Structure formats: structure tokens, C-alpha cells
Amino acid sequence: MFVVSLNYTKTINVITMTNTMPSSIRTCLWFRDGRGREAAEFYCSLIPGSRVEKVFSSDAGHGAFSVIDFSLGGTPYQILDAGPMFTLSEAVSISVATEDQAETDRLWEALTANGGEESHCGWLKDRYGVSWQVYPKRLAELTMSADKNVSDKAMAAMMKQMKIDIAAIEAAVRG
């Protein structure tokens, strides 16, 4: 259960949320268009071990809002869907290190479908405006290699890509 207090005049001055559930840490994503629950359900359908945990909606006299608690692969998140005061940006992204290229491709296609946008170096923005980093785990091994020659070649190859193509990066490393 959440107690939400919105105090504002022309703009929001203070947003206070008191979580009366057991304490946990969650990344909170502010949605502004009433599609927060839809987004959480979509994300949970993509990542194994994910689920929507709680949904709380109200109109406390200051406008309708919803709080959606969910987990992606066991990592807790929260969506506060409460109107146009704030926008999502690339400053916060959900990073998914996949097991292989096939999983990267599956997630990339699903997340960029229906209005999502590709960006560089494994970044994308989904149809809801949430930024994601989707890449095979092998990318981190190569770009963070102790062998500077390997990491430099991997990084240079990655910088030319939108969706990560790990086979192309491995080929660049082999030279």
C-alpha cells in the first residue's frame, strides 16, 4: 500500500511517497501517459522470471495516478504513472546482458517494434520512451578485456553498430 501526497500549484513542488510495504529498493520510472501498467506487462512478457507484483491506482483529489511494482528477471522496478510533470530520458536505462546473439535479436526486435527507436552501441528506446541497453554478455568480455588491443578493437567495432552484432565484433578483434 502506498500513501501518495501531491502538493502543487502551477507545477509540482513536492511529491512524497511513503511505502507502507516491506522495505526494498526499486528503480522508479515516471510515466506520463497512462500506459504504465501496459508497459510493465509488456516488459514482463519479454524477460524470463519477471512479473507484475502490485498495482495501485487512485485519484487522491490531485489527479489520477498509478503505481506499478514489477520485477524483471528478479530485479525490482516501479512505474509511477502520474502525468506530464516529468519525462523519461537516456539518463536512466535498463541494461540487459543476454546469453547470446539470438536473445539479443529477440529482445531488440520486440523493444523496437511499434514505435521504438534504435540508437548506437546497443542502445534503444522502446515504444513507451524507456531507454534500454541490450547486448550479448560476450561484448563486455571483449570491451573490458585486460588486453588493450582486444578491448580497443572491440570498442571500435561496437561504436559502428546500432544493435550489437557480436560475430562482427569478434571478427574485428581477430583482425
Side-chain angles (χ1 to χ4, degrees), residues 4 60 87-88 137 157:
V4 177
T87 58
L88 294 164
K137 288 180 182 178

Side-chain angles (χ1 to χ4, degrees), residues 91-118:
V92 174
S93 64
I94 299 173
S95 182
V96 182
T98 63
E99 291 299 321
D100 55 31
Q101 187 69 50
E103 183 67 0
T104 295
D105 294 346
R106 182 187 72 79
L107 287 173
W108 190 271
E109 295 307 315
L111 290 166
T112 58
N114 301 317
E117 302 171 17
E118 295 186 354

Side-chain angles (χ1 to χ4, degrees), residues 138-146 150-152 154-156 158 169:
R138 179 79 173 122
L139 177 67
E141 295 168 11
L142 293 170
T143 58
M144 292 188 252
S145 173
V150 168
S151 63
D152 287 351
M155 187 67 71
M158 179 195 71
I169 293 173

Side-chain angles (χ1 to χ4, degrees), residues 2 22 25-26 36 40 49 51 53 55-56 58 74 86 97 101-105 107 119-121 128 137 144-145 153:
F2 286 88
I25 296 172
R26 293 178 182 272
R51 67 186 183 94
E53 299 164 351
V55 176
F56 176 77
S58 182
F86 303 106
Q101 187 69 50
E103 183 67 0
T104 295
D105 294 346
L107 287 173
S119 190
H120 296 282
C121 306
Y128 304 102
K137 288 180 182 178
M144 292 188 252
S145 173
K153 287 179 179 180

Side-chain angles (χ1 to χ4, degrees), residues 20-163:
T20 58
M21 296 185 305
S23 178
S24 67
I25 296 172
R26 293 178 182 272
T27 298
C28 183
L29 306 170
W30 185 287
F31 275 54
R32 51 190 286 140
D33 61 3
R35 298 189 311 156
R37 184 175 187 161
E38 174 187 320
E41 289 171 352
F42 173 64
Y43 301 153
C44 290
S45 76
L46 297 176
I47 310 285
S50 301
R51 67 186 183 94
V52 174
E53 299 164 351
K54 284 196 184 296
V55 176
F56 176 77
S57 297
S58 182
D59 183 343
H62 301 288
F65 69 91
S66 295
V67 177
I68 303 97
D69 284 349
F70 63 106
S71 63
L72 296 178
T75 302
Y77 289 89
Q78 181 176 78
I79 291 175
L80 176 57
D81 199 343
M85 287 68 74
F86 303 106
T87 58
L88 294 164
S89 81
E90 290 81 357
V92 174
S93 64
I94 299 173
S95 182
V96 182
T98 63
E99 291 299 321
D100 55 31
Q101 187 69 50
E103 183 67 0
T104 295
D105 294 346
R106 182 187 72 79
L107 287 173
W108 190 271
E109 295 307 315
L111 290 166
T112 58
N114 301 317
E117 302 171 17
E118 295 186 354
S119 190
H120 296 282
C121 306
W123 286 67
L124 64 89
K125 192 175 285 189
D126 70 28
R127 69 186 85 165
Y128 304 102
V130 174
S131 292
W132 294 71
Q133 299 172 61
V134 180
Y135 59 92
K137 288 180 182 178
R138 179 79 173 122
L139 177 67
E141 295 168 11
L142 293 170
T143 58
M144 292 188 252
S145 173
D147 182 333
K148 185 163 174 32
N149 187 46
V150 168
S151 63
D152 287 351
K153 287 179 179 180
M155 187 67 71
M158 179 195 71
M159 296 300 286
K160 297 174 186 172
Q161 297 183 355
M162 301 289 265
K163 176 178 72 174

